[in-house]
Amino acid sequence: MRLGIDLDGVVANFILGWMTRYNVEFGTHLTEDLVDRWDAAADLTHFPDMSDFWAWAGAAGGGPTVFRHLTTYPGSLRTLNELAADHDIVILSMKPDWAASDTFAWIAEQHIPTREVHLVRHKWKVQCDLYLDDSPYALPDLVANRPDAIVCRYVRPWNDPVPGTVDIHDWAEFCSFVKEEECEWSQSA
Ligand SMILES: [Mg+2]
């Protein structure tokens, strides 16, 4: 199967990444558990709105962007490597232009087992058999435009149930789910 895998909030811990940097630069003590909704950064930081936040995350003093140095969520790399033995890992990430080169560098550094990376706004335009995402915007978009695919919601505090998606709570659950689907898929193929 072609597995369409999102990065931020699924594989890459973007929240911990920007918070660590923000805390060092501005002397704050923000913690991940404070994030309970999409775009929470506008409320948690001194930035008036998200465009100011993104300007900081991107330029960040002319050095690498926030996307260059992110940790991975527990079990994500191990699971992707395990699934890559039988499936194609297709990376689908919505990124601004300024984040593209750092994203490619990060993917390489983490040895993400993929031959295919798409930095796109409309993920459904890339055909996959199964998608895994955490975005309250991308998920309904995938359900609406890829009715034949399985769409998995990585359950996070910043998303709510999306009709037509399968809830996934951690990478072990995702691994088991894909292997169950794999049996059905190979029988119907
Ligand atoms: Mg995401």
Side-chain angles (χ1 to χ4, degrees), residues 22-37:
Y22 187 90
N23 285 338
V24 168
E25 281 189 35
F26 299 104
T28 48
H29 300 88
L30 298 179
T31 50
E32 284 179 77
D33 57 294
L34 296 171
V35 177
D36 60 358
R37 65 180 185 81

Side-chain angles (χ1 to χ4, degrees), residues 102-123:
D102 277 353
T103 300
F104 286 121
W106 184 86
I107 287 169
E109 193 172 74
Q110 299 295 330
H111 298 281
I112 306 275
T114 184
R115 288 172 170 272
E116 205 177 320
V117 178
H118 301 264
L119 305 184
V120 288
R121 175 170 291 272
H122 298 295
K123 299 179 179 183

Side-chain angles (χ1 to χ4, degrees), residues 63-141:
T65 73
V66 164
F67 291 107
R68 182 65 186 86
H69 301 291
L70 299 176
T71 54
T72 56
Y73 283 107
S76 58
L77 292 182
R78 187 176 63 244
T79 303
L80 288 176
N81 278 291
E82 185 174 340
L83 294 175
D86 296 312
H87 304 280
D88 293 334
I89 305 298
V90 180
I91 297 299
L92 302 175
S93 184
M94 197 183 101
K95 286 288 204 307
D97 288 347
W98 52 258
S101 57
D102 277 353
T103 300
F104 286 121
W106 184 86
I107 287 169
E109 193 172 74
Q110 299 295 330
H111 298 281
I112 306 275
T114 184
R115 288 172 170 272
E116 205 177 320
V117 178
H118 301 264
L119 305 184
V120 288
R121 175 170 291 272
H122 298 295
K123 299 179 179 183
W124 61 267
K125 290 185 177 178
V126 181
Q127 185 275 323
C128 291
D129 301 295
L130 189 153
Y131 297 88
L132 176 64
D133 211 291
D134 69 317
S135 162
Y137 301 100
L139 287 165
D141 211 27

Side-chain angles (χ1 to χ4, degrees), residues 4 6 9 26 31 42 51 94 104 107 139 154 161-162 166 169 171 176:
D6 176 34
F26 299 104
T31 50
S51 63
M94 197 183 101
F104 286 121
I107 287 169
L139 287 165
Y154 205 118
V162 177
V166 176
H169 299 83
W171 279 94
S176 304

